[in-house]
Amino acid sequence: MPKFNTEVQLTGKDGNAFSIMASVRSALKKAGATEEELAEYFAESTAGDYHNLLRVADKWVIVK
């Protein structure tokens, strides 16, 4: 179960890492994430490769 019960549509969109992070960040903000949570998401997302970015997104939101 992700940390936030909000959906983010990533399939069929630009696979650019920055685009993915922006989509997830926007969904997190709308779901009420604090600045600390947003910073934690960003740190986790940028701590590895592209596959890490996708795993982290899946950890934080419901990826569609």
Side-chain angles (χ1 to χ4, degrees):
M1 188 79 187
K3 290 185 178 190
F4 286 83
N5 189 25
T6 187
E7 294 183 2
V8 177
Q9 180 73 36
L10 294 182
T11 56
K13 292 197 173 200
D14 183 6
N16 178 290
F18 293 109
S19 176
I20 291 170
M21 286 191 301
S23 295
V24 173
R25 186 177 194 283
S26 176
L28 289 172
K29 284 183 79 167
K30 287 179 184 174
T34 65
E35 286 301 318
E36 292 81 20
E37 288 169 323
L38 294 172
E40 182 182 347
Y41 163 72
F42 182 78
E44 287 183 31
S45 292
T46 58
D49 62 8
Y50 184 78
H51 295 287
N52 175 70
L53 170 69
L54 297 177
R55 282 190 299 274
V56 171
D58 198 43
K59 176 181 168 184
W60 282 81
V61 296
I62 301 166
V63 175
K64 296 288 181 175

